[in-house]
Protein backbone atom coordinates (compact mmCIF):
# COMPACT_ATOMS: atom_id res chain seq x y z
CA UNK A 1 0.00 0.00 0.00
CA UNK A 2 1.15 3.42 -0.95
CA UNK A 3 1.68 5.71 2.03
CA UNK A 4 1.08 9.37 1.92
CA UNK A 5 2.89 11.68 4.30
CA UNK A 6 1.43 11.99 7.72
CA UNK A 7 -0.84 14.99 7.87
CA UNK A 8 -1.32 16.70 11.13
CA UNK A 9 -4.07 19.13 10.24
CA UNK A 10 -6.63 16.65 9.06
CA UNK A 11 -6.94 14.81 5.85
CA UNK A 12 -7.48 16.27 2.40
CA UNK A 13 -9.57 14.17 0.08
CA UNK A 14 -7.01 14.12 -2.71
CA UNK A 15 -4.04 13.45 -0.48
CA UNK A 16 -5.81 10.44 0.81
CA UNK A 17 -5.76 6.94 -0.53
CA UNK A 18 -8.54 5.60 1.57
CA UNK A 19 -12.13 6.63 1.62
CA UNK A 20 -14.97 6.38 3.96
CA UNK A 21 -17.57 3.72 4.10
CA UNK A 22 -20.30 5.09 6.28
CA UNK A 23 -22.51 2.04 6.17
CA UNK A 24 -24.44 1.70 9.41
CA UNK A 25 -22.63 -0.38 11.99
CA UNK A 26 -23.64 -3.98 11.87
CA UNK A 27 -21.62 -5.49 14.67
CA UNK A 28 -23.01 -4.89 18.12
CA UNK A 29 -20.65 -3.40 20.62
CA UNK A 30 -21.39 -2.68 24.26
CA UNK A 31 -23.20 0.57 24.91
CA UNK A 32 -20.23 2.24 26.63
CA UNK A 33 -17.99 1.46 23.66
CA UNK A 34 -20.63 2.91 21.37
CA UNK A 35 -20.63 6.08 23.46
CA UNK A 36 -16.83 6.27 23.23
CA UNK A 37 -16.94 5.81 19.47
CA UNK A 38 -19.51 8.59 19.19
CA UNK A 39 -17.33 10.81 21.33
CA UNK A 40 -14.35 10.14 19.06
CA UNK A 41 -16.43 10.96 15.98
CA UNK A 42 -17.44 14.26 17.56
CA UNK A 43 -13.92 15.08 18.64
CA UNK A 44 -12.31 14.29 15.28
CA UNK A 45 -15.14 14.44 12.68
CA UNK A 46 -12.86 13.95 9.68
CA UNK A 47 -12.28 10.34 10.79
CA UNK A 48 -15.76 9.47 9.58
CA UNK A 49 -14.79 10.31 6.03
CA UNK A 50 -12.25 7.56 6.07
CA UNK A 51 -13.10 4.97 8.69
CA UNK A 52 -15.88 2.90 9.99
CA UNK A 53 -14.91 2.63 13.62
CA UNK A 54 -15.99 -0.81 14.71
CA UNK A 55 -14.62 -1.41 18.17
CA UNK A 56 -12.43 -0.24 20.99
CA UNK A 57 -9.35 -2.42 21.40
CA UNK A 58 -7.36 -0.74 24.09
CA UNK A 59 -7.81 1.74 26.85
CA UNK A 60 -4.88 3.10 28.78
CA UNK A 61 -4.17 6.07 30.95
CA UNK A 62 -2.89 8.06 28.01
CA UNK A 63 -4.90 6.85 25.09
CA UNK A 64 -7.80 4.84 23.76
CA UNK A 65 -7.22 2.63 20.78
CA UNK A 66 -9.98 1.80 18.32
CA UNK A 67 -10.33 -0.59 15.42
CA UNK A 68 -11.26 1.16 12.19
CA UNK A 69 -12.05 -0.23 8.78
CA UNK A 70 -11.42 1.62 5.56
CA UNK A 71 -12.26 0.96 1.97
CA UNK A 72 -9.08 1.12 -0.09
CA UNK A 73 -8.89 2.55 -3.60
CA UNK A 74 -8.54 -0.91 -5.08
CA UNK A 75 -11.79 -1.88 -3.42
CA UNK A 76 -10.25 -3.97 -0.66
CA UNK A 77 -11.03 -3.28 2.99
CA UNK A 78 -8.27 -2.76 5.46
CA UNK A 79 -8.16 -2.59 9.21
CA UNK A 80 -6.39 0.13 11.16
CA UNK A 81 -5.66 0.86 14.79
CA UNK A 82 -6.67 4.42 15.71
CA UNK A 83 -4.89 5.70 18.77
CA UNK A 84 -6.70 8.66 20.28
CA UNK A 85 -4.31 10.43 22.64
CA UNK A 86 -5.53 12.17 25.73
CA UNK A 87 -5.89 15.86 24.95
CA UNK A 88 -3.66 16.84 27.85
CA UNK A 89 -0.56 15.28 26.29
CA UNK A 90 2.13 17.84 25.53
CA UNK A 91 2.27 18.63 21.79
CA UNK A 92 6.00 17.85 21.59
CA UNK A 93 5.36 14.57 23.37
CA UNK A 94 2.74 13.63 20.81
CA UNK A 95 4.88 14.73 17.88
CA UNK A 96 7.82 12.75 19.26
CA UNK A 97 5.71 9.59 19.58
CA UNK A 98 4.61 10.03 15.99
CA UNK A 99 8.16 10.66 14.81
CA UNK A 100 9.41 7.45 16.45
CA UNK A 101 6.73 5.50 14.57
CA UNK A 102 7.36 7.17 11.24
CA UNK A 103 11.16 7.31 11.34
CA UNK A 104 12.01 3.98 13.00
CA UNK A 105 8.73 2.12 12.52
CA UNK A 106 7.30 0.00 9.78
CA UNK A 107 10.14 -2.55 9.86
CA UNK A 108 12.18 -4.77 12.16
CA UNK A 109 9.17 -5.60 14.32
CA UNK A 110 8.45 -1.96 15.06
CA UNK A 111 4.96 -0.62 14.36
CA UNK A 112 4.73 2.17 11.83
CA UNK A 113 2.22 4.99 11.44
CA UNK A 114 0.02 5.49 8.39
CA UNK A 115 -1.66 8.84 9.12
CA UNK A 116 -2.31 11.27 11.84
CA UNK A 117 -5.47 13.30 12.32
CA UNK A 118 -5.86 16.31 14.49
CA UNK A 119 -8.69 18.59 15.43
CA UNK A 120 -7.79 21.14 18.05
CA UNK A 121 -6.24 19.23 20.92
CA UNK A 122 -7.46 15.83 19.77
CA UNK A 123 -4.90 13.71 17.98
CA UNK A 124 -5.46 10.31 16.43
CA UNK A 125 -2.51 8.26 15.20
CA UNK A 126 -3.48 5.72 12.56
CA UNK A 127 -1.47 2.50 12.37
CA UNK A 128 -1.91 -0.75 10.51
CA UNK A 129 -3.98 -3.02 12.71
CA UNK A 130 -2.21 -6.08 14.00
CA UNK A 131 -4.29 -8.81 15.52
CA UNK A 132 -2.58 -10.13 18.64
CA UNK A 133 -3.03 -12.20 21.76
CA UNK A 134 -2.47 -10.96 25.27
CA UNK A 135 0.42 -12.78 26.95
CA UNK A 136 -1.61 -13.29 30.09
CA UNK A 137 -4.09 -15.35 28.06
CA UNK A 138 -1.57 -17.59 26.35
CA UNK A 139 1.30 -17.86 28.82
CA UNK A 140 0.24 -21.25 30.14
CA UNK A 141 0.20 -22.80 26.68
CA UNK A 142 3.37 -21.28 25.21
CA UNK A 143 6.06 -23.67 24.06
CA UNK A 144 9.68 -23.02 24.89
CA UNK A 145 10.36 -22.50 21.20
CA UNK A 146 7.70 -19.79 21.02
CA UNK A 147 9.29 -18.07 24.01
CA UNK A 148 12.71 -18.24 22.38
CA UNK A 149 11.35 -16.70 19.17
CA UNK A 150 9.32 -14.08 21.04
CA UNK A 151 12.40 -12.84 22.90
CA UNK A 152 14.50 -12.97 19.74
CA UNK A 153 12.00 -10.75 17.93
CA UNK A 154 11.67 -8.40 20.87
CA UNK A 155 15.46 -8.00 20.97
CA UNK A 156 15.45 -7.38 17.24
CA UNK A 157 13.01 -4.49 17.66
CA UNK A 158 15.09 -3.12 20.53
CA UNK A 159 18.32 -3.29 18.54
CA UNK A 160 16.56 -1.35 15.80
CA UNK A 161 15.15 1.48 17.92
CA UNK A 162 18.35 1.70 19.97
CA UNK A 163 20.25 2.29 16.72
CA UNK A 164 18.08 5.38 16.30
CA UNK A 165 18.90 6.50 19.81
CA UNK A 166 15.38 5.78 21.03
CA UNK A 167 14.90 4.56 24.59
CA UNK A 168 11.40 3.10 24.66
CA UNK A 169 11.09 3.17 28.49
CA UNK A 170 7.93 1.06 28.65
CA UNK A 171 8.90 -2.38 27.37
CA UNK A 172 6.31 -4.91 28.53
CA UNK A 173 4.17 -7.54 26.79
CA UNK A 174 1.23 -5.13 26.31
CA UNK A 175 3.50 -2.97 24.19
CA UNK A 176 4.97 -5.83 22.16
CA UNK A 177 2.16 -7.26 20.11
CA UNK A 178 2.38 -10.94 19.23
CA UNK A 179 0.28 -12.84 16.76
CA UNK A 180 0.71 -16.46 17.56
CA UNK A 181 -0.76 -17.81 14.33
CA UNK A 182 0.96 -15.59 11.81
CA UNK A 183 4.14 -15.27 13.92
CA UNK A 184 4.06 -11.51 13.71
CA UNK A 185 5.54 -9.15 16.24
CA UNK A 186 5.27 -5.41 16.67
CA UNK A 187 6.67 -2.99 19.20
CA UNK A 188 4.15 -0.22 19.89
CA UNK A 189 3.67 2.75 22.20
CA UNK A 190 6.40 5.37 22.05
CA UNK A 191 4.42 7.54 24.41
CA UNK A 192 7.19 7.47 27.02
CA UNK A 193 10.17 7.32 24.70
CA UNK A 194 13.23 9.42 25.27
CA UNK A 195 16.31 10.04 23.23
CA UNK A 196 19.90 9.13 23.92
CA UNK A 197 22.43 11.97 23.79
CA UNK A 198 22.99 11.29 20.08
CA UNK A 199 19.43 10.37 19.09
CA UNK A 200 18.43 10.64 15.45
CA UNK A 201 14.88 11.53 16.40
CA UNK A 202 14.84 15.32 16.34
CA UNK A 203 11.73 15.68 18.48
CA UNK A 204 13.22 13.50 21.20
CA UNK A 205 16.04 16.04 21.36
CA UNK A 206 13.43 18.79 21.68
CA UNK A 207 11.78 16.84 24.42
CA UNK A 208 15.03 16.72 26.35
CA UNK A 209 15.54 20.40 25.70
CA UNK A 210 12.07 21.16 26.95
CA UNK A 211 13.49 19.93 30.24
CA UNK A 212 11.45 16.77 30.04
CA UNK A 213 7.75 16.59 29.52
CA UNK A 214 6.91 13.23 31.01
CA UNK A 215 3.40 11.89 30.91
CA UNK A 216 1.90 12.14 34.33
CA UNK A 217 2.17 8.87 36.17
CA UNK A 218 -1.13 8.01 37.75
CA UNK A 219 -2.08 5.29 40.11
CA UNK A 220 1.30 4.62 41.55
CA UNK A 221 3.46 6.16 44.15
CA UNK A 222 6.62 8.00 43.47
CA UNK A 223 9.80 6.84 45.15
CA UNK A 224 9.80 10.01 47.15
CA UNK A 225 6.24 9.79 48.27
CA UNK A 226 5.39 7.86 51.32
CA UNK A 227 3.59 4.67 52.06
CA UNK A 228 0.38 5.11 53.94
CA UNK A 229 0.88 4.37 57.59
CA UNK A 230 -1.97 1.90 57.42
CA UNK A 231 -0.48 -0.01 54.51
CA UNK A 232 -1.07 -3.66 55.10
CA UNK A 233 0.98 -5.47 52.51
CA UNK A 234 3.78 -7.63 53.73
CA UNK A 235 6.42 -5.49 52.14
CA UNK A 236 4.90 -2.28 53.30
CA UNK A 237 5.35 -3.71 56.74
CA UNK A 238 8.96 -4.66 56.24
CA UNK A 239 10.12 -1.71 54.29
CA UNK A 240 9.64 1.98 53.97
CA UNK A 241 10.51 4.42 51.30
CA UNK A 242 13.48 6.38 52.35
CA UNK A 243 14.87 8.48 49.61
CA UNK A 244 16.83 11.58 50.20
CA UNK A 245 15.12 14.49 48.55
CA UNK A 246 17.68 16.46 46.60
CA UNK A 247 16.43 18.74 43.88
CA UNK A 248 12.86 19.86 43.77
CA UNK A 249 10.64 20.58 46.66
CA UNK A 250 7.85 18.10 47.07
CA UNK A 251 5.42 18.87 49.84
CA UNK A 252 4.31 15.23 49.76
CA UNK A 253 7.70 14.09 50.93
CA UNK A 254 7.25 16.25 53.96
CA UNK A 255 4.39 14.12 55.10
CA UNK A 256 7.05 11.63 55.89
CA UNK A 257 8.17 11.72 59.45
CA UNK A 258 11.09 10.18 61.21
CA UNK A 259 8.62 7.57 62.38
CA UNK A 260 9.14 5.86 59.05
CA UNK A 261 11.42 2.89 59.40
CA UNK A 262 12.35 0.04 57.14
CA UNK A 263 15.07 -2.12 55.66
CA UNK A 264 15.55 -0.46 52.29
CA UNK A 265 16.83 3.03 51.65
CA UNK A 266 18.32 4.64 48.58
CA UNK A 267 20.47 7.70 48.45
CA UNK A 268 22.99 9.38 46.22
CA UNK A 269 26.58 8.51 47.03
CA UNK A 270 27.44 12.14 46.63
CA UNK A 271 25.49 12.86 49.76
CA UNK A 272 28.22 12.92 52.29
CA UNK A 273 27.73 11.77 55.83
CA UNK A 274 27.54 14.36 58.53
CA UNK A 275 27.04 16.94 55.87
CA UNK A 276 26.33 20.40 57.11
CA UNK A 277 23.33 21.82 55.33
CA UNK A 278 22.73 25.47 54.59
CA UNK A 279 20.56 25.83 57.63
CA UNK A 280 23.54 24.81 59.70
CA UNK A 281 21.94 21.52 60.70
CA UNK A 282 23.84 18.25 60.74
CA UNK A 283 22.50 15.11 59.13
CA UNK A 284 22.91 12.10 61.32
CA UNK A 285 21.14 9.45 59.30
CA UNK A 286 23.80 8.48 56.80
CA UNK A 287 23.96 4.68 56.33
CA UNK A 288 21.11 4.11 58.71
CA UNK A 289 17.65 2.93 57.72
CA UNK A 290 16.11 6.26 58.68
CA UNK A 291 15.76 9.59 57.03
CA UNK A 292 16.27 12.42 59.43
CA UNK A 293 14.28 15.64 59.35
CA UNK A 294 17.27 17.50 57.99
CA UNK A 295 17.35 15.21 54.99
CA UNK A 296 13.61 15.29 54.60
CA UNK A 297 13.81 18.99 53.99
CA UNK A 298 16.20 18.52 51.07
CA UNK A 299 14.96 18.83 47.55
CA UNK A 300 13.89 15.76 45.63
CA UNK A 301 16.13 14.21 43.02
CA UNK A 302 14.67 14.40 39.56
CA UNK A 303 15.34 11.52 37.19
CA UNK A 304 13.23 9.89 34.54
CA UNK A 305 11.21 7.12 36.05
CA UNK A 306 8.46 6.47 33.56
CA UNK A 307 7.23 2.99 32.84
CA UNK A 308 5.65 0.20 34.81
CA UNK A 309 7.26 -0.53 38.21
CA UNK A 310 7.57 -4.29 37.69
CA UNK A 311 9.57 -3.79 34.49
CA UNK A 312 11.79 -0.95 35.70
CA UNK A 313 15.54 -1.45 35.79
CA UNK A 314 17.40 -0.95 39.09
CA UNK A 315 18.96 2.28 37.78
CA UNK A 316 15.45 3.62 37.08
CA UNK A 317 14.12 2.52 40.46
CA UNK A 318 17.00 4.23 42.24
CA UNK A 319 16.60 7.37 40.12
CA UNK A 320 19.98 7.25 38.48
CA UNK A 321 20.09 10.42 36.37
CA UNK A 322 21.96 8.91 33.40
CA UNK A 323 19.79 6.19 31.98
CA UNK A 324 20.33 4.64 28.60
CA UNK A 325 19.03 2.00 26.25
CA UNK A 326 20.06 -0.64 28.82
CA UNK A 327 16.82 0.04 30.69
CA UNK A 328 14.84 -1.51 27.82
CA UNK A 329 17.11 -4.56 27.89
CA UNK A 330 16.37 -5.05 31.58
CA UNK A 331 12.63 -4.98 30.84
CA UNK A 332 13.16 -7.60 28.12
CA UNK A 333 14.89 -9.68 30.81
CA UNK A 334 11.87 -9.37 33.09
CA UNK A 335 9.67 -10.55 30.21
CA UNK A 336 11.95 -13.55 29.62
CA UNK A 337 11.89 -14.36 33.33
CA UNK A 338 8.12 -14.22 33.22
CA UNK A 339 7.87 -16.48 30.17
CA UNK A 340 10.40 -19.03 31.46
CA UNK A 341 8.68 -19.26 34.83
CA UNK A 342 5.16 -19.17 33.37
CA UNK A 343 4.17 -16.32 35.70
CA UNK A 344 2.72 -13.07 34.51
CA UNK A 345 3.23 -10.49 35.73
CA UNK A 346 6.37 -11.66 37.45
CA UNK A 347 7.02 -8.59 39.54
CA UNK A 348 4.00 -6.59 40.48
CA UNK A 349 4.85 -3.62 42.60
CA UNK A 350 2.82 -0.59 43.46
CA UNK A 351 5.90 1.52 43.95
CA UNK A 352 9.60 1.66 43.28
CA UNK A 353 10.97 0.42 46.59
CA UNK A 354 8.72 -2.62 46.56
CA UNK A 355 9.91 -3.26 43.01
CA UNK A 356 13.51 -2.94 44.18
CA UNK A 357 12.94 -5.38 47.03
CA UNK A 358 11.39 -7.87 44.63
CA UNK A 359 14.45 -7.61 42.39
CA UNK A 360 16.64 -8.26 45.42
CA UNK A 361 14.74 -11.44 46.26
CA UNK A 362 15.71 -12.83 42.86
CA UNK A 363 19.08 -11.23 42.14
CA UNK A 364 20.35 -10.93 45.69
CA UNK A 365 20.50 -7.94 47.99
CA UNK A 366 24.28 -7.81 48.19
CA UNK A 367 24.54 -7.90 44.40
CA UNK A 368 21.93 -5.15 44.05
CA UNK A 369 23.70 -2.94 46.59
CA UNK A 370 27.00 -3.52 44.79
CA UNK A 371 25.50 -2.61 41.41
CA UNK A 372 23.80 0.49 42.80
CA UNK A 373 27.14 1.62 44.16
CA UNK A 374 28.58 1.45 40.63
CA UNK A 375 26.07 4.02 39.46
CA UNK A 376 26.39 6.24 42.45
CA UNK A 377 23.59 5.09 44.71
CA UNK A 378 23.95 3.87 48.25
CA UNK A 379 21.35 1.28 49.07
CA UNK A 380 20.67 0.19 52.60
CA UNK A 381 18.94 -3.10 53.17
CA UNK A 382 18.59 -4.47 56.67
CA UNK A 383 18.04 -8.06 55.64
CA UNK A 384 20.18 -10.16 53.36
CA UNK A 385 18.31 -11.75 50.49
CA UNK A 386 20.29 -14.44 48.67
CA UNK A 387 20.66 -14.48 44.91
CA UNK A 388 18.61 -17.26 43.37
CA UNK A 389 19.62 -19.74 40.72
CA UNK A 390 17.49 -18.80 37.72
CA UNK A 391 16.92 -22.33 36.44
CA UNK A 392 15.90 -23.57 39.88
CA UNK A 393 13.59 -20.59 40.33
CA UNK A 394 11.88 -20.93 36.94
CA UNK A 395 11.54 -24.70 37.13
CA UNK A 396 10.11 -24.51 40.63
CA UNK A 397 7.59 -21.88 39.57
CA UNK A 398 6.64 -24.06 36.60
CA UNK A 399 6.11 -26.97 38.98
CA UNK A 400 8.87 -28.93 37.35
CA UNK A 401 10.80 -29.21 40.57
CA UNK A 402 9.49 -30.62 43.79
CA UNK A 403 8.93 -28.03 46.43
CA UNK A 404 9.49 -28.78 50.09
CA UNK A 405 6.44 -30.39 51.69
CA UNK A 406 6.90 -28.74 55.06
CA UNK A 407 5.28 -25.54 56.25
CA UNK A 408 5.33 -22.87 53.64
CA UNK A 409 7.68 -20.03 54.27
CA UNK A 410 7.17 -16.67 52.63
CA UNK A 411 9.86 -15.78 50.14
CA UNK A 412 10.67 -12.62 51.98
CA UNK A 413 12.34 -13.36 55.20
CA UNK A 414 12.68 -17.01 54.30
CA UNK A 415 15.73 -18.95 55.33
CA UNK A 416 18.40 -19.30 52.68
CA UNK A 417 17.22 -22.79 51.84
CA UNK A 418 13.53 -22.23 51.57
CA UNK A 419 14.02 -18.99 49.69
CA UNK A 420 15.87 -20.93 47.03
CA UNK A 421 13.10 -23.47 46.82
CA UNK A 422 9.93 -21.48 47.11
CA UNK A 423 6.93 -23.74 47.33
CA UNK A 424 4.74 -22.97 44.37
CA UNK A 425 1.67 -24.71 43.01
CA UNK A 426 2.11 -27.12 40.14
CA UNK A 427 1.65 -26.00 36.60
CA UNK A 428 -1.37 -28.20 36.16
CA UNK A 429 -3.81 -27.42 33.37
CA UNK A 430 -6.35 -26.22 35.91
CA UNK A 431 -3.93 -23.77 37.40
CA UNK A 432 -3.78 -20.49 35.57
CA UNK A 433 -0.30 -19.18 36.06
CA UNK A 434 -0.44 -15.51 36.51
CA UNK A 435 1.22 -13.66 39.27
CA UNK A 436 4.70 -14.68 40.21
CA UNK A 437 6.25 -12.50 42.79
CA UNK A 438 3.20 -10.28 42.75
CA UNK A 439 1.20 -12.76 44.79
CA UNK A 440 4.17 -13.50 46.94
CA UNK A 441 4.60 -9.89 47.86
CA UNK A 442 1.00 -9.55 48.87
CA UNK A 443 1.29 -12.29 51.38
CA UNK A 444 4.32 -14.38 50.60
CA UNK A 445 4.46 -17.60 48.67
CA UNK A 446 2.52 -19.21 51.45
CA UNK A 447 -0.58 -17.25 50.59
CA UNK A 448 -0.43 -18.34 46.99
CA UNK A 449 -0.23 -21.90 48.17
CA UNK A 450 -2.92 -21.87 50.77
CA UNK A 451 -5.31 -20.58 48.11
CA UNK A 452 -4.49 -23.55 45.98
CA UNK A 453 -6.80 -26.52 46.50
CA UNK A 454 -3.96 -28.97 46.04
CA UNK A 455 -2.28 -27.65 49.10
CA UNK A 456 -5.13 -28.21 51.50
CA UNK A 457 -6.07 -31.70 50.40
CA UNK A 458 -3.76 -34.67 50.44
CA UNK A 459 -2.42 -35.73 47.11
CA UNK A 460 -4.84 -38.30 45.84
CA UNK A 461 -4.91 -40.37 42.66
CA UNK A 462 -6.53 -37.68 40.57
CA UNK A 463 -3.87 -35.19 41.54
CA UNK A 464 -1.22 -37.67 40.50
CA UNK A 465 -2.99 -38.11 37.19
CA UNK A 466 -3.12 -34.36 36.74
CA UNK A 467 0.57 -34.28 37.39
CA UNK A 468 1.30 -36.94 34.81
CA UNK A 469 -0.83 -35.12 32.25
CA UNK A 470 0.93 -31.88 33.00
CA UNK A 471 4.31 -33.58 32.66
CA UNK A 472 3.41 -34.95 29.25
CA UNK A 473 2.09 -31.57 28.15
CA UNK A 474 5.09 -29.83 29.58
CA UNK A 475 7.40 -32.20 27.73
CA UNK A 476 5.51 -31.61 24.50
CA UNK A 477 5.92 -27.91 24.97
CA UNK A 478 9.67 -28.31 25.44
CA UNK A 479 9.82 -27.28 29.07
CA UNK A 480 11.71 -30.42 30.05
CA UNK A 481 14.68 -29.46 27.90
CA UNK A 482 15.28 -25.76 28.33
CA UNK A 483 18.95 -25.26 27.44
CA UNK A 484 21.40 -23.57 29.79
CA UNK A 485 21.78 -20.84 27.16
CA UNK A 486 18.29 -19.59 27.98
CA UNK A 487 19.18 -19.03 31.63
CA UNK A 488 22.56 -17.63 30.66
CA UNK A 489 20.89 -15.04 28.43
CA UNK A 490 18.37 -14.28 31.17
CA UNK A 491 21.24 -13.68 33.59
CA UNK A 492 22.88 -11.29 31.10
CA UNK A 493 19.66 -9.36 30.45
CA UNK A 494 19.02 -9.06 34.17
CA UNK A 495 22.52 -7.76 34.88
CA UNK A 496 21.97 -5.34 37.74
CA UNK A 497 24.71 -3.08 36.42
CA UNK A 498 23.66 -1.21 33.27
CA UNK A 499 27.31 -0.70 32.29
CA UNK A 500 27.93 -4.44 31.91
CA UNK A 501 24.41 -5.48 30.89
CA UNK A 502 24.26 -7.15 27.47
CA UNK A 503 23.00 -4.89 24.66
CA UNK A 504 20.14 -5.89 22.36
CA UNK A 505 22.60 -6.22 19.46
CA UNK A 506 24.87 -8.49 21.50
CA UNK A 507 21.95 -10.53 22.78
CA UNK A 508 20.91 -11.33 19.20
CA UNK A 509 24.35 -12.91 18.77
CA UNK A 510 23.84 -15.07 21.87
CA UNK A 511 24.26 -18.82 21.42
CA UNK A 512 20.56 -19.31 22.29
CA UNK A 513 19.80 -17.85 18.86
CA UNK A 514 22.64 -19.40 16.86
CA UNK A 515 20.28 -21.01 14.33
CA UNK A 516 18.21 -17.88 13.72
P1 LIG B 1 -1.07 3.35 25.61
O1 LIG B 1 -0.08 4.45 25.50
O2 LIG B 1 -2.40 3.82 26.05
O3 LIG B 1 -0.56 2.17 26.40
P2 LIG B 1 -0.62 1.71 23.22
O4 LIG B 1 0.01 2.32 22.01
O5 LIG B 1 0.24 0.83 24.04
O6 LIG B 1 -1.30 2.85 24.09
O7 LIG B 1 -1.90 0.89 22.77
C1 LIG B 1 -2.75 0.30 23.73
C2 LIG B 1 -3.19 -1.08 23.27
O8 LIG B 1 -3.89 -0.97 22.02
C3 LIG B 1 -2.04 -2.04 22.98
O9 LIG B 1 -1.64 -2.72 24.16
C4 LIG B 1 -2.66 -2.97 21.97
O10 LIG B 1 -3.43 -3.97 22.60
C5 LIG B 1 -3.57 -2.06 21.18
N1 LIG B 1 -2.87 -1.58 19.99
C6 LIG B 1 -2.06 -0.52 19.87
N2 LIG B 1 -1.59 -0.38 18.63
C7 LIG B 1 -2.13 -1.39 17.91
C8 LIG B 1 -2.02 -1.82 16.54
N3 LIG B 1 -1.29 -1.14 15.65
N4 LIG B 1 -2.71 -2.92 16.17
C9 LIG B 1 -3.47 -3.59 17.05
N5 LIG B 1 -3.61 -3.24 18.33
C10 LIG B 1 -2.94 -2.16 18.77
MG1 LIG C 1 0.91 0.79 26.01
ZN1 LIG D 1 19.92 12.72 57.31
Amino acid sequence: MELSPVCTEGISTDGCIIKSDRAPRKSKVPRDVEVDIEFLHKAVPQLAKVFRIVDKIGEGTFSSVYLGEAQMRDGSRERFALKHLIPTSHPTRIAAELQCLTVAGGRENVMGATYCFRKEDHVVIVMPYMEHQAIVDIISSLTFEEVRLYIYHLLKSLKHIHQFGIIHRDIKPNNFLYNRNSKMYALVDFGLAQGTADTQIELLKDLTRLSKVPRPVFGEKNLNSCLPASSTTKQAAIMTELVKPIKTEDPASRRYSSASRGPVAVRSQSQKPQRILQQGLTCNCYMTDRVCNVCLSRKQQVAPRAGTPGFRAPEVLTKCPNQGTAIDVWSAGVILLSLLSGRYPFFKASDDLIALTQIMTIRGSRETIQAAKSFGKALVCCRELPRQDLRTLCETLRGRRPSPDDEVTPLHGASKDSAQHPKIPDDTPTHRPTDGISKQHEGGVGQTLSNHPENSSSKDASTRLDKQTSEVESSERGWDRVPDEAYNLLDRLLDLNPATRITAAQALQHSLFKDL
Side-chain angles (χ1 to χ4, degrees), residues 60 63 83 168 170 172 174-175 188-189 215:
S63 78
K83 179 169 178 173
H168 185 282
D170 200 13
K172 55 181 176 182
N174 285 354
N175 289 336
V188 298
D189 198 355
R215 301 199 292 194

Coordinates of all heavy atoms in Angstrom, one line a residue, residues 60 63 83 168 170 172 174-175 188-189 215, ligand 2:
G60 N -5.9 2.9 27.8 CA -4.9 3.1 28.8 C -5.1 4.4 29.5 O -6.1 5.1 29.3
S63 N -4.3 6.9 26.4 CA -4.9 6.9 25.1 C -6.0 5.8 25.1 O -6.1 5.0 26.0 CB -3.9 6.4 24.0 OG -3.6 5.1 24.1
K83 N -5.3 5.4 17.4 CA -4.9 5.7 18.8 C -5.2 7.2 19.1 O -4.6 8.1 18.5 CB -3.4 5.4 19.0 CG -2.9 5.8 20.4 CD -1.5 5.2 20.6 CE -1.0 5.6 22.0 NZ 0.3 5.0 22.4
H168 N 12.9 3.3 24.6 CA 11.4 3.1 24.7 C 10.8 3.4 26.0 O 9.8 4.1 26.2 CB 11.1 1.7 24.3 CG 9.6 1.4 24.1 ND1 8.8 1.2 25.2 CD2 8.8 1.3 23.0 CE1 7.5 1.0 24.7 NE2 7.5 1.1 23.4
D170 N 9.1 1.8 28.1 CA 7.9 1.1 28.7 C 7.8 -0.3 28.0 O 6.7 -0.7 27.5 CB 6.7 1.9 28.4 CG 5.5 1.5 29.3 OD1 5.7 0.8 30.3 OD2 4.4 2.0 29.0
K172 N 7.1 -3.9 27.8 CA 6.3 -4.9 28.5 C 5.4 -5.6 27.5 O 5.3 -5.1 26.4 CB 5.4 -4.3 29.6 CG 4.5 -3.2 29.1 CD 3.7 -2.6 30.3 CE 2.9 -1.4 29.8 NZ 2.1 -0.8 30.9
N174 N 2.3 -5.9 26.9 CA 1.2 -5.1 26.3 C 1.7 -4.2 25.2 O 0.9 -3.8 24.4 CB 0.5 -4.3 27.4 CG -0.3 -5.1 28.3 OD1 -0.5 -6.3 28.1 ND2 -0.8 -4.5 29.3
N175 N 3.0 -3.9 25.2 CA 3.5 -3.0 24.2 C 4.3 -3.7 23.1 O 4.9 -3.1 22.3 CB 4.4 -1.9 24.8 CG 3.5 -0.9 25.6 OD1 2.3 -0.7 25.3 ND2 4.1 -0.2 26.6
V188 N 5.0 -1.4 20.0 CA 4.2 -0.2 19.9 C 4.4 0.7 21.1 O 5.2 0.4 22.0 CB 2.6 -0.6 19.8 CG1 2.3 -1.4 18.6 CG2 2.2 -1.3 21.1
D189 N 3.7 1.8 21.1 CA 3.7 2.8 22.2 C 5.0 3.5 22.5 O 5.7 3.1 23.5 CB 3.2 2.0 23.4 CG 2.7 3.0 24.5 OD1 2.8 4.2 24.3 OD2 2.1 2.5 25.5
R215 N 4.8 12.1 30.7 CA 3.4 11.9 30.9 C 3.2 11.8 32.4 O 4.0 11.2 33.1 CB 2.9 10.6 30.2 CG 3.2 10.6 28.7 CD 2.3 9.6 28.0 NE 2.7 8.2 28.3 CZ 2.2 7.2 27.6 NH1 1.5 7.4 26.6 NH2 2.5 6.0 27.9
Ligands
LIG2 MG1 0.9 0.8 26.0

